[in-house]
Each structure stands twice: as C-alpha cells, then as structure tokens.
Amino acid sequence: MGTLRDLQYALQEKIEELRQRDALIDELELELDQKDELIQRLQNELDKYRSVIKPATQQVHKQNELHDQQRTKRQAISAEPTAFDIQDLSHVTLPFYPKSPQSKDLIKEAILDNDFMKNLELSQIQEIVDCMYPVEYGKDSCIIKEGDVGSLVYVMEDGKVEVTKENLKLCTMGPGKVFGELAILYNCTRTATVKTLTNVKLWAIDRQCFQTIMMRTGLIKHTEYMDFLKSVPTFHDLQEDILSKLADVLEEVCALPLCCTGMKARRLKAHSR
C-alpha cells in the first residue's frame, strides 16, 4: 500500500508539474502574441507616420529630362494625383473659422492624441485647427456610414457617438476624439459607421483643405532645404536631381546651444535606396 501511495503521490506531482508547464506555456504564448501585436502596431504607425509627414517630394525624376521646368511633387498622404507646385500653393488662401481658446486646445490635443495624426508638425496642426468649421448632429444621426466615400475628418467637442463595423459595436467616443481620418489620409472608403448617441457638436475639415496644408508644408520645406543645400560650397557642383534627393532625406535637429539661440541645425540622414 505504501508503494501505491508513493506512486499516487508521484503521479500527482507530475500532473501538477504538467499544469504548471501548461500555465507557463500559456503565459509565454500570450506574451508572444502581445509582442507580435506590438510589433505590428509599431510597424503600422511607422508606415502611417511616413505617409503623413514625409514631404511630397518623390516625383519621377525622368520628368527632369523630358521637361526643363520645375518638377512637381507628389503628395505622400493620398494616392490622388496632384499638379500643384510651390507657386500654386503659396497663393492658396485657407479658410479660417474663429474658435474659443478652449476649442482650439481641445482640437489640438485630440490631434496629438490620435495615432495617425500625432506626428504632424505643429505648424500643420495649427493650420488644421484654424481651418476646422463647426458641425452639429442630433441624437440617432448617422455621421459616417461604412463603405461610403469620405471627405471629412471630425473632432468631437461635445456629445457621444457609437462606432460599429459590420453591425458589431467597436467602441463609444466622447469629446476630444478624432474620427474619420483614415478616409482623408489614405483616400479610402469609410471603414466603420459612426452614429450619435446624443446631440453632438463637432469640428470638421475637408480633404482638399487638409491636403493643401500637407502639400504646402512639404513643398515649402523641400524648397527651403534645396536653397540651404545650394548655399553649401561642398554641393555647388551637384546636379539639381541629386540635390533634390538630398533634400528628401535632410532633417532638422536641435542641439541645446543652438536651440537657446533660436537656431536649428540640419543633417543628412542615411537612407538605403
């Protein structure tokens, strides 16, 4: 009987050991899934970051050989073609809608809290804030319908909305949230439906205005970088298309002594081509 009890005890220990191993495996698998999800999310954010803030400067260089004119730039945010150049955009007058300081702060904080828009430059965010106009919806209204072509991005100032996809509830949103941005950034159809749960007050900006802000900032910055590179003696003999490629990868950095004097340094960042 002692031997039987010993065997039963040993079996119980083995079962407990297996349970612990199974629990450890479950924990490791969960951690692995979380890390995979984090990697994917970071990769998506990186792709979206590049598409939002990278200057629209990747026009086909063959146009320089075919046309002896200033080359136009392609906007990186949207697949829509554009023929704007810096001269065109510098004369565009953007709309301005007055807002209270509280509304301005709310819109700015909402943009900075949004994964797809938080890496915009502060000057771009300020222009977006200025261009947004007020919109109101009553309770049980449909603001965005899944599958529709979108042309507006919204910031919620007051009220509550419900977000659904394929009739499944995803979440509810309240003041200080951005929604509808994917259709503006990527020229795609609406990915979800947004309906009001209460009366809501929103701020909105249309795609054309948004893209004008993005393109103008990118083109102005590219022009500034080109002028800067042309002023560097080392680059005097470089061709225009080479300077343009350098301008594409030029980035501004602040060193503390320079920042204290309100100055910025520029550096070339190595990119694989």
Side-chain angles (χ1 to χ4, degrees), residues 43-192:
Q43 183 61 53
N44 290 340
E45 288 189 7
L46 178 61
D47 293 340
K48 290 157 187 172
Y49 167 81
R50 287 171 175 166
S51 71
V52 171
I53 70 167
K54 185 175 179 62
T57 58
Q58 303 298 325
Q59 184 74 341
V60 179
H61 292 294
K62 290 183 179 179
Q63 291 184 358
N64 283 326
E65 302 174 0
L66 299 175
H67 304 285
D68 191 24
Q69 61 183 16
Q70 181 179 7
R71 72 178 186 175
T72 58
K73 303 298 177 180
R74 177 177 60 85
Q75 184 189 14
I77 290 178
S78 171
E80 295 179 359
T82 177
F84 286 122
D85 60 22
I86 188 64
Q87 286 78 18
D88 295 329
L89 293 174
S90 62
H91 293 91
V92 173
T93 301
L94 295 172
F96 175 83
Y97 297 90
K99 303 170 183 67
S100 68
Q102 293 79 8
S103 293
K104 290 181 179 180
D105 289 342
L106 180 141
I107 297 172
K108 180 180 177 181
E109 292 302 319
I111 293 173
L112 292 174
D113 187 52
N114 182 269
D115 288 338
F116 304 104
M117 302 176 69
K118 63 184 179 183
N119 291 307
L120 295 176
E121 296 182 6
L122 291 179
S123 61
Q124 293 173 323
I125 294 176
Q126 185 58 56
E127 286 190 303
I128 292 173
V129 171
D130 291 340
C131 292
M132 281 194 146
Y133 59 89
V135 180
E136 294 188 7
Y137 284 90
K139 183 180 178 181
D140 297 326
S141 298
C142 182
I143 304 175
I144 290 176
K145 184 178 180 181
E146 183 179 355
D148 284 355
V149 176
S151 61
L152 297 173
V153 59
Y154 302 93
V155 173
M156 176 92 68
E157 179 168 35
D158 188 31
K160 185 179 293 186
V161 298
E162 181 180 75
V163 183
T164 61
K165 183 176 180 64
E166 297 178 353
N167 296 321
L168 295 177
K169 179 180 176 180
L170 299 180
C171 65
T172 58
M173 292 190 299
K177 292 296 182 181
V178 175
F179 61 93
E181 71 278 11
L182 293 182
I184 299 296
L185 296 176
Y186 302 106
N187 190 29
C188 61
T189 57
R190 297 297 194 184
T191 58

Side-chain angles (χ1 to χ4, degrees), residues 188-226:
C188 61
T189 57
R190 297 297 194 184
T191 58
T193 296
V194 179
K195 292 184 177 181
T196 62
L197 298 175
T198 65
N199 294 335
V200 299
K201 295 181 180 180
L202 310 168
W203 294 98
I205 185 172
D206 62 71
R207 175 186 295 150
Q208 182 177 357
C209 185
F210 182 87
Q211 291 183 338
T212 298
I213 294 172
M214 297 299 105
M215 287 189 291
R216 183 161 66 179
T217 303
L219 291 172
I220 289 174
K221 187 171 290 293
H222 186 270
T223 300
E224 291 176 352
Y225 287 173
M226 287 287 287

